[in-house]
Amino acid sequence: MRDQEPGPAHPERRLSTKEAAELLGVKPETVYAYVSRGQLSSRRVPNGRGSTFDAKEVEALAWRNRRESGGGPASGAELSVRTRVTFIDKDRYYYRGVDATELATRHSYEEVAEWLWTGRMRPKVTFTAPEASVEAARRAVDALPEHTGPADRLRVAAIAAAAADPLRYDLSEGSVLGTARTLIPTLVAALPPKHRTHRDGGALAQRLWGRLSWRPAAEAPLHVLDTALGLLVDHDLAASTLAVRVAASARAHAYAAVSAGLGVIEGPLHGAASGLAHRLVQEVLDQGSAAPVIAEELRAGRRIPGLGHRLYPGEDPRARVLFALLEEVPEAAPALAAARDIVATTARYSPLHANVDLALAVLTASCGMEATAGETVFAVARTAGWIAHALEEYGERPLRMRPSGHYVGPKPPQPLPE
């Protein structure tokens, strides 16, 4: 959960290194470590030694450290990154200050992405990819084994598209935005279509649907998919987004930064979580009740997928929006009932609410999609957010994403090994 920042200090108040260290509860050397990591800014004392620090910055950092450590002394263990992309509150989140759920339900995925990148709305914008990029990505993806997962396919497609782009090392804002507008449709086009007769065209959600489902794209479920893409565009500094910013800090090009994010989302606690929720929903549908399925999960010592989120004490706002839209999809009724049964059954032992993975599972399980479809939706959607964070990081000091290791090995010097 993200709280509001504390009130501003006097704008002209400056602190000495000693004062800053005392306020933060750290050694003076650690204060300069914060500066090297980009968490504090400093100003040299005129005609003297040492530096001064903005009191507002120091107090905000001390407050964040106390919050992240549960109220204890500031440890500096958490990396704090200034961003203008997404703000998460206790029961909602915002893209550049605008309610993300309202934005995603009223605008297409492409329009949401443009807002995130530029802070401007481009009505009815569509993304298209150059044929050379699509052809290179398709050839690379087609060479993979049939059982290859979606994150691997998308990562290979991104690498192939990068190799086909001689301008990939241009990190100017215009060039990176051009990359984003062509990379995302390239990723979708590189995935094998479910129908041999499928033809690409229209909004990105419609093109992606043909890669996920054997069924025709009806209006209501297609709107759910488009909204899901918009809702998943970004979610602050999730693990994959942090990996993207680390890559961008080292000035890796946009394709490589996206590849870093794709590598992280394969974990079952991140992008792949929706696949576990899909299988759970499907099993409840097969069994006719959540009770025996939940009992078996708990007996095996497994956490129930699709429930709870560390940033929201209540229901995930993304899940709330998708569940409401799925109410308008008749074929989703059985899976929706199964999801509610899961939440109600688990509420007897743990008051956990549905998260976006469970909502994605209802969509994928009810629309003829495979269990991995949610991971594909997540990865394609989040690519736009990764680009937004990469753009921010390109404007920061290079290599600032360099936390200090806390060495706990044998005390040196040790004798050479025999």
Side-chain angles (χ1 to χ4, degrees):
M1 180 174 69
R2 294 291 190 262
D3 301 318
Q4 296 288 346
E5 292 289 330
H10 192 285
E12 297 180 357
R13 185 179 166 216
R14 306 289 298 179
L15 300 178
S16 67
T17 303
K18 181 181 178 182
E19 289 172 328
E22 289 175 351
L23 184 56
L24 290 164
V26 298
K27 297 178 180 179
E29 303 93 285
T30 306
V31 175
Y32 289 102
Y34 283 130
V35 175
S36 68
R37 296 171 195 162
Q39 293 172 266
L40 283 179
S41 59
S42 64
R43 185 186 302 167
R44 295 291 296 177
V45 176
N47 302 319
R49 300 178 61 184
S51 302
T52 62
F53 304 87
D54 187 299
K56 177 182 174 182
E57 280 191 2
V58 176
E59 288 169 3
L61 178 58
W63 178 84
R64 286 196 300 269
N65 284 343
R66 288 194 299 271
R67 185 195 66 190
E68 297 286 358
S69 61
S75 64
E78 297 288 339
L79 178 65
S80 179
V81 178
R82 295 179 182 180
T83 176
R84 296 179 180 271
V85 179
T86 300
F87 172 71
I88 299 178
D89 207 351
K90 60 182 179 180
D91 60 355
R92 60 185 59 196
Y93 65 117
Y94 304 84
Y95 294 154
R96 292 190 179 273
V98 176
D99 188 293
T101 58
E102 293 184 13
L103 197 66
T105 51
R106 299 182 185 183
H107 294 276
S108 70
Y109 167 71
E110 294 95 320
E111 290 170 345
V112 174
E114 286 287 343
W115 171 256
L116 207 68
W117 295 334
T118 67
R120 297 185 297 274
M121 186 55 65
R122 295 180 61 194
K124 298 183 179 179
V125 62
T126 57
F127 297 158
T128 57
E131 190 56 40
S133 176
V134 172
E135 187 60 32
R138 281 179 175 165
R139 283 200 307 268
V141 170
D142 289 346
L144 294 171
E146 189 174 346
H147 64 269
T148 302
D152 281 335
R153 291 181 185 275
L154 293 171
R155 191 161 58 247
V156 167
I159 294 169
D165 183 2
L167 303 179
R168 60 188 179 275
Y169 294 107
D170 182 353
L171 302 185
S172 64
E173 181 178 347
S175 181
V176 173
L177 287 175
T179 294
R181 294 174 183 130
T182 59
L183 174 58
I184 294 173
T186 296
L187 295 179
V188 173
L191 297 171
K194 293 296 184 181
H195 297 278
R196 291 184 179 276
T197 57
H198 176 78
R199 293 290 182 270
D200 282 329
L204 191 103
Q206 188 168 4
R207 283 175 267 168
L208 181 59
W209 182 279
R211 264 77 186 172
L212 300 177
S213 177
W214 300 94
R215 302 177 186 175
E219 183 178 352
L222 185 60
H223 178 55
V224 178
L225 176 60
D226 193 27
T227 303
L229 288 167
L231 291 169
L232 291 166
V233 161
D234 190 56
H235 209 230
D236 195 28
L237 287 183
S240 58
T241 305
L242 181 58
V244 168
R245 292 197 76 128
V246 170
S249 177
R251 297 304 182 256
H253 55 68
Y255 298 93
V258 167
S259 296
L262 288 167
V264 175
I265 67 164
E266 284 201 277
L269 301 181
H270 200 7
S274 62
L276 301 176
H278 175 109
R279 294 181 180 92
L280 182 70
V281 168
Q282 197 62 59
E283 194 169 350
V284 172
L285 288 170
D286 294 341
Q287 295 267 7
S289 172
V293 178
I294 298 300
E296 186 58 35
E297 292 292 307
L298 295 177
R299 181 183 182 186
R302 293 188 289 264
R303 66 184 293 272
I304 310 302
L307 299 177
H309 197 290
R310 64 185 296 266
L311 297 181
Y312 301 113
E315 188 174 37
D316 185 333
R318 301 168 297 179
R320 184 169 60 245
V321 169
L322 292 180
F323 282 143
L325 293 177
L326 286 162
E327 291 274 8
E328 307 300 319
V329 181
E331 58 266 38
L336 201 53
R340 288 175 175 152
D341 194 8
I342 291 169
V343 174
T345 302
T346 54
R348 300 173 195 170
Y349 82 95
S350 180
L352 294 176
H353 298 270
N355 62 34
V356 72
D357 297 314
L358 190 61
L360 273 181
V362 172
L363 172 66
T364 56
S366 61
C367 293
M369 300 179 187
E370 298 174 358
T372 57
E375 186 177 352
T376 304
V377 174
F378 184 98
V380 170
R382 192 56 58 88
T383 299
W386 292 336
I387 294 290
H389 282 274
L391 275 168
E392 276 197 339
E393 197 57 42
Y394 290 146
E396 298 287 351
R397 179 171 52 81
L399 293 174
R400 72 188 184 114
M401 294 289 185
R402 179 61 169 85
S404 299
H406 178 57
Y407 179 74
V408 294
K411 185 177 180 180
Q414 293 286 314
L416 287 173
E418 293 293 336

